[in-house]
C-alpha cells in the first residue's frame, strides 16, 4: 500500500479534468494566435476558461492572466510592481513561500528595494499592528503576504490586510496558491491588487496558473514576446493546461463544502488519534485553529527511533513532507518553523489531505507511526 498525504505539495490530477483536457491535446491543437479555424477554436476555449475562472472570483475576465503557475504569478506581481509602479519598499513576512522570499531578497541585493519583514507571533499570525507601523513609516509600499501558509496552514485576514494596505496607498499582492480552490474568494469587495494561483494544488495540471491583476493596476509585461494574454505575457498559451485549470476550479468550487467536510474530518481524526496514541505530540502553527483545512503540521517527540522520520515513513509507503532537518535528514531546516521558533530538535511532519484520501489511508499512516514510536494501542 502507498499512501499520499502530501497534497499541499501537489495533488493528483482529477480524471474528469484529464477528460476535459484530452481534446486539446488531440484534435484541438491549433495555435490560439492563428487566425484560421484551428486557431480560432483554441482561442475561444481559452477565453471561455478565462470567463469561467473570473466568475468564481467575481472579477472581470480581463483581470485574469494565465501563467505557468504560482512562481511565475508571484514573480510577475512583485517584479512588475517594483519596475512599473514606483515601489522602493517591500513588506513581506519571514514565512512566505520561496517564490516570494527569494524574489524580494534578490531585488534587495540588487539595491532596487528596501525590505521590511513584518513580525509574526509564535503561531505564525502576522502582527497587524506592526504591519500598520511599517505601512505608516513607508507609504506606497508593496505588501506581499500569503493567504494560507503552505507548511503550517495559517490564514491571513485577507480583507483586513487589504483595507490596511489601501489606507496607506500600498500595493497588495496576496499569494493565494494554497487557498484558491479550497476557499471561496470574492474579490469584488476586497481591495487586493494581485492574487496568484497554481492549478496543481486543486487537482488541475502542473504548469498552469493565473495572476489576477486588478484593472486599476497598470504594469508592463513580465515576459516579452507575442501579443498573448492581451500583450501581458508573451508565449504560445498552454491551452490544455488552461482548460484543465478551469475545469479543476469548477469541480473544486461546485463541490467545495462536501470536499471541505471530508478533508477536515480526516485532519481532525488524524490530529486526535496522534494526540491519544503518541505522548508528547504538538502541532505547529495554527493548524488546529481556523486554518487551511488541508494541512496538519505535527511536531513529534525526540527519540532515537524517530530520527529520519520522513525517510522511515517513505520506506513504509507513506508520502509526507518534512519541516525540520532531523525529520528528513536534509541539511536545511524549514525557514517557516525556524521563524516560529519551533524546537528544531523535534522532527516535524506536514500531513496534507485531499478529497481523494480515505480514512483507511490515515489509519495506515497512524499504524506505521505507532510502530515507529513503539506505541501499542489497546
Ligand atoms: C504558497 C505557495 N506559493 C507558491 C507556490 C509555487 O507554485 P508553483 O510550484 O506552481 O510555481 C507554492 C507551491 O508549492 C505554494 O505553496
Amino acid at each position: 500500500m502507498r499512501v499520499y498525504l502530501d497534497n499541499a505539495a501537489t495533488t493528483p490530477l482529477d480524471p474528469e479534468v484529464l477528460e476535459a483536457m484530452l481534446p486539446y491535446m488531440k484534435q484541438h491543437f491549433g495555435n490560439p494566435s492563428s487566425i484560421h479555424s484551428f486557431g480560432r477554436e483554441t482561442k475561444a476555449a481559452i477565453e471561455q476558461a478565462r470567463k469561467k475562472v473570473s466568475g468564481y472570483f467575481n472579477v472581470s475576465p480581463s483581470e485574469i492572466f494565465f501563467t505557468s503557475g504560482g512562481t511565475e504569478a508571484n514573480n510577475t506581481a512583485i517584479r512588475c510592481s517594483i519596475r512599473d509602479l514606483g515601489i522602493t519598499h517591500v513588506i513581506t513576512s519571514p514565512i512566505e513561500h520561496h517564490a516570494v522570499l527569494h524574489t524580494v531578497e534578490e531585488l534587495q541585493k540588487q539595491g532596487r528595494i528596501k525590505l521590511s519583514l513584518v513580525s509574526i507571533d509564535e503561531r505564525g499570525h502576522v502582527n497587524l499592528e506592526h504591519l500598520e507601523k511599517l505601512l505608516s513609516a513607508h507609504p506606497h509600499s508593496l505588501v506581499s503576504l500569503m493567504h494560507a501558509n503552505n507548511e503550517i496552514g495559517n490564514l491571513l485576514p485577507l480583507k483586513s490586510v487589504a483595507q490596511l494596505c489601501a489606507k496607506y496607498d500600498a500595493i497588495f499582492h496576496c499569494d493565494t496558491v494554497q487557498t484558491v480552490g479550497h476557499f471561496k474568494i470574492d474579490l469584488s469587495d476586497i481591495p487586493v491588487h494581485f492574487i496568484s494561483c497554481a492549478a496543481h494544488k486543486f487537482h488541475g495540471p502542473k504548469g498552469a496558473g493565473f495572476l489576477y491583476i486588478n484593472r486599476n493596476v497598470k504594469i508592463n509585461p513580465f515576459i516579452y514576446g507575442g501579443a498573448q494574454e492581451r500583450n501581458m505575457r508573451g508565449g504560445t498559451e498552454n491551452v490544455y493546461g488552461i482548460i484543465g485549470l478551469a475545469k479543476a476550479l469548477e469541480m473544486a468550487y461546485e463541490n467545495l463544502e462536501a470536499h471541505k467536510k471530508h478533508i477536515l474530518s480526516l485532519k481532525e481524526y488524524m490530529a486526535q488519534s496522534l494526540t491519544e496514541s503518541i505522548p508528547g505530540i504538538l502541532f505547529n502553527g495554527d493548524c488546529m485553529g481556523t486554518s487551511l483545512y488541508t494541512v496538519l503540521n505535527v511536531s513529534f517527540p525526540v527519540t532515537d527511533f524517530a530520527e529520519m522520520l520522513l525517510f522511515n515513513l517513505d520506506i513504509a509507503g507513506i508520502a509526507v513532507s518534512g519541516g525540520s532537518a532531523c525529520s528528513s535528514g536534509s541539511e536545511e531546516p524549514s525557514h517557516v518553523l525556524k521563524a516560529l521558533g519551533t524546537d528544531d530538535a523535534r522532527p516535524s511532519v506536514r500531513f496534507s489531505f485531499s478529497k481523494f484520501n480515505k480514512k483507511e489511508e490515515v489509519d495506515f499512516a497512524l499504524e506505521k507511526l505507532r510502530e515507529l514510536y513503539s506505541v501499542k494501542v489497546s
Side-chain angles (χ1 to χ4, degrees), residues 8-9 68-72 74 97 99 146 148 150 175 177-178 198 200-201:
S68 63
T71 302
E72 185 191 324
N74 288 348
H97 191 272
M146 68 208 308
N150 50 302
D175 177 347
V177 166
Q178 289 290 340
H200 69 104
K201 305 291 187 185

Side-chain angles (χ1 to χ4, degrees), residues 29 42 154 252 329:
F29 60 85
T42 48
N154 284 59

Side-chain angles (χ1 to χ4, degrees), residues 95-114:
I95 61 171
E96 298 302 301
H97 191 272
H98 282 150
V100 165
L101 272 183
H102 287 171
T103 305
V104 293
E105 282 165 6
E106 175 59 20
L107 291 160
Q108 181 193 33
K109 226 190 283 171
Q110 292 172 5
R112 290 162 65 186
I113 53 152
K114 291 228 165 7

Side-chain angles (χ1 to χ4, degrees), residues 170-231:
I171 298 291
F172 179 32
H173 163 244
C174 189
D175 177 347
T176 50
V177 166
Q178 289 290 340
T179 50
V180 167
H182 299 292
F183 289 83
K184 290 230 161 103
I185 304 172
D186 183 349
L187 294 181
S188 65
D189 69 341
I190 302 177
V192 61
H193 298 91
F194 302 97
I195 73 163
S196 309
C197 157
H200 69 104
K201 305 291 187 185
F202 48 92
H203 307 286
K206 292 167 184 60
F210 71 78
L211 176 66
Y212 156 79
I213 308 178
N214 181 281
R215 70 189 72 184
N216 298 318
V217 175
K218 302 290 173 229
I219 55 168
N220 294 317
F222 178 54
I223 297 176
Y224 281 83
Q228 292 91 352
E229 296 299 295
R230 294 180 310 294
N231 278 314

Side-chain angles (χ1 to χ4, degrees), residues 22 35 57 71 83 94 127 146 170 234 248 252 279 284 305 323 341:
L22 280 173
I35 54 169
F57 300 91
T71 302
R83 189 191 58 195
N127 180 333
M146 68 208 308
N284 293 316
F305 48 81

